[in-house]
Amino acid sequence: AMKVFNESVDSMSAVKEYEALQHLDHPNIVKFVWNDQLPSGQFYTVMEYIEGEDLGKFTKSDLSLASYNIHSLTTSILSALIHMQSREKPMFHRDIKPMNILMDKNSGRFVLIDFNVASDESNKEYSGTGPYIAPDLAISAREMNFNSSGDTFALGITLYKLVCKAFPWKNGMPIPNVDPKRPEDFTSTLSDVFCNFLYKSVQPKQEDRFESAQAMLDAFSEITASDILKARKVTESNFNDELQNFTKNRFSFICYYGDSHHGFFPKENF
């Protein structure tokens, strides 16, 4: 796949993406192939081709990722971030959001893309996408002290948006001294343990959220795919309602991704 930068884009964006990707080798990070300039003067980056779509559709429609996929997404992107944060000079993505994560429709693999603002901590430039930026990292409208907790916060907001279909703050933008809304305020289907994990992930103060991808993964390792949702008790009186709900969710999911044998349907439902 070739990414061509708009003529109005500073050439440094292409250079930064090249510098960020050339030394990264991880199954959940898009693989860099080549970087050059077209005769028109536009810069381009050639990366591995992934047949699939980004997760943005799941935030803009009634479609929902299955609990099995939410679990895989969380562990996969955290593994990618650990790979980046464990380098001699830790690297930060700085713009994690649903639109920058692809799901390979052939394998179910989640892949982090779009590294044109990725950098180490020496870069003080303000960058990212509003609702996914940890508010306590900003110095001014143009500068920020980005660190590893910035990427974990953005992943937390990403997960929150995917499962709750909403942001933790009114109007979307994080507010430094205002507590985020609990996930339970938007959905009653999530388990207490997963709600607590999400709530900690999106705390606006660094000391209250996960400070690194490793710390976040350590906490998430206690949660299995079957722990994402509340256990639902099926009785004779509610059997038809539960069956209808199951059928509705199954249909919408398979319509989007195709046959269930690809592994996109939650294993715990078989």
Side-chain angles (χ1 to χ4, degrees):
M2 186 169 76
K3 176 180 178 179
V4 180
F5 290 81
N6 190 288
E7 291 178 348
S8 63
V9 174
D10 186 348
S11 62
M12 283 306 297
S13 292
V15 173
K16 285 179 180 179
E17 185 157 49
Y18 161 73
E19 292 176 344
L21 285 172
Q22 66 173 330
H23 299 302
L24 296 176
D25 184 16
H26 190 278
N28 303 111
I29 295 176
V30 66
K31 287 181 173 56
F32 167 82
V33 179
W34 190 250
N35 178 276
D36 210 335
Q37 190 173 10
L38 296 172
S40 64
Q42 292 173 276
F43 285 85
Y44 68 88
T45 298
V46 179
M47 295 166 282
E48 68 170 313
Y49 174 70
I50 300 169
E51 189 176 358
E53 295 187 72
D54 67 62
L55 301 185
K57 279 194 173 183
F58 290 102
T59 67
K60 302 170 185 176
S61 70
D62 291 334
L63 293 172
S64 296
L65 284 169
S67 56
Y68 173 75
N69 295 112
I70 290 294
H71 192 273
S72 176
L73 166 65
T74 307
T75 55
S76 296
I77 302 305
L78 283 173
S79 178
L81 292 179
I82 289 171
H83 177 70
M84 295 169 63
Q85 294 176 10
S86 299
R87 296 173 57 82
E88 185 176 349
K89 277 191 173 182
M91 183 180 293
F92 311 123
H93 185 277
R94 297 171 68 105
D95 197 20
I96 295 174
K97 56 186 177 183
M99 291 70 75
N100 284 341
I101 301 173
L102 294 181
M103 185 178 187
D104 188 328
K105 77 173 188 178
N106 296 311
S107 66
R109 177 174 60 119
F110 291 98
V111 183
L112 192 57
I113 64 170
D114 203 346
F115 281 72
N116 62 302
V117 296
S119 67
D120 60 31
E121 62 185 359
S122 65
N123 182 8
K124 302 298 182 183
E125 181 183 354
Y126 193 99
S127 60
T129 302
Y132 301 87
I133 298 175
D136 59 331
L137 301 184
I139 303 173
S140 68
R142 295 186 177 183
E143 289 186 300
M144 64 195 313
N145 277 324
F146 203 91
N147 58 39
S148 56
S149 77
D151 277 345
T152 61
F153 177 86
L155 178 57
I157 298 291
T158 294
L159 294 170
Y160 195 108
K161 179 67 170 168
L162 287 169
V163 298
C164 297
K165 305 292 184 180
F167 288 113
W169 286 273
K170 187 178 180 181
N171 300 324
M173 297 300 293
I175 304 173
N177 297 312
V178 176
D179 290 337
K181 289 187 177 181
R182 296 277 313 180
E184 300 95 322
D185 292 341
F186 297 104
T187 176
S188 61
T189 63
L190 301 177
S191 68
D192 291 344
V193 66
F194 188 58
C195 282
N196 291 337
F197 172 81
L198 281 180
Y199 190 65
K200 178 166 182 169
S201 300
V202 300
Q203 290 301 308
K205 294 181 180 179
Q206 181 177 337
E207 60 267 26
D208 295 330
R209 63 177 179 265
F210 299 110
E211 294 194 6
S212 68
Q214 186 61 64
M216 192 170 179
L217 183 61
D218 288 345
F220 191 69
S221 65
E222 302 295 322
I223 302 173
T224 67
S226 59
D227 292 330
I228 300 292
L229 300 178
K230 282 183 179 178
R232 300 172 71 93
K233 185 177 181 180
V234 179
T235 64
E236 185 175 351
S237 62
N238 72 0
F239 176 80
N240 288 333
D241 289 338
E242 291 295 331
L243 181 61
Q244 184 177 10
N245 181 60
F246 170 80
T247 304
K248 179 181 177 182
N249 291 336
R250 181 177 186 270
F251 178 73
S252 64
F253 194 74
I254 292 178
C255 272
Y256 184 73
Y257 276 116
D259 296 335
S260 59
H261 68 267
H262 288 307
F264 298 116
F265 197 68
K267 290 182 177 178
E268 63 266 28
N269 286 337
F270 286 101

